[in-house]
Amino acid sequence: DNSTLFPNTYESLARNLNSNPFTITRVNDVITSVVYTVGAGSITKSFTYSNGLINQIAISGAGLSGKTYTKTISYTDGKVSGASYSIA
């Protein structure tokens, strides 16, 4: 059952990245990506927005076997109401 595997994998990966050096890219004061230096490579966390709210965060890059780990956030009345996860 991937319903607990995917969220745990994504959240663990996202949390572990925070201990690495990083560079933030902003467009019009909105964060579009964060690139983490990991060993000899890099991992990128990319953000997409809808109506000014983050609706997707994708993590990809070195050491992830070519896979992209994605968290899609859903909202109700402008407040987070859930999240879904995928690995592709």
Side-chain angles (χ1 to χ4, degrees):
D1 177 15
N2 291 328
S3 63
T4 56
L5 175 65
F6 286 178
N8 290 339
T9 301
Y10 177 93
E11 296 299 344
S12 178
L13 176 60
R15 191 172 34 258
N16 289 335
L17 284 174
N18 293 331
S19 63
N20 294 286
F22 60 88
T23 302
I24 297 173
T25 300
R26 290 181 175 86
V27 175
N28 298 324
D29 291 328
V30 174
I31 295 174
T32 56
S33 67
V34 180
V35 178
Y36 299 87
T37 303
V38 181
S42 64
I43 293 179
T44 301
K45 189 186 292 184
S46 302
F47 299 84
T48 57
Y49 297 82
S50 178
N51 298 320
L53 300 171
I54 295 173
N55 70 332
Q56 199 169 68
I57 307 168
I59 300 173
S60 60
L64 300 179
S65 303
K67 297 188 183 313
T68 299
Y69 294 75
T70 304
K71 178 179 183 177
T72 302
I73 303 165
S74 54
Y75 297 87
T76 302
D77 297 326
K79 295 182 182 181
V80 174
S81 58
S84 60
Y85 300 82
S86 64
I87 301 173

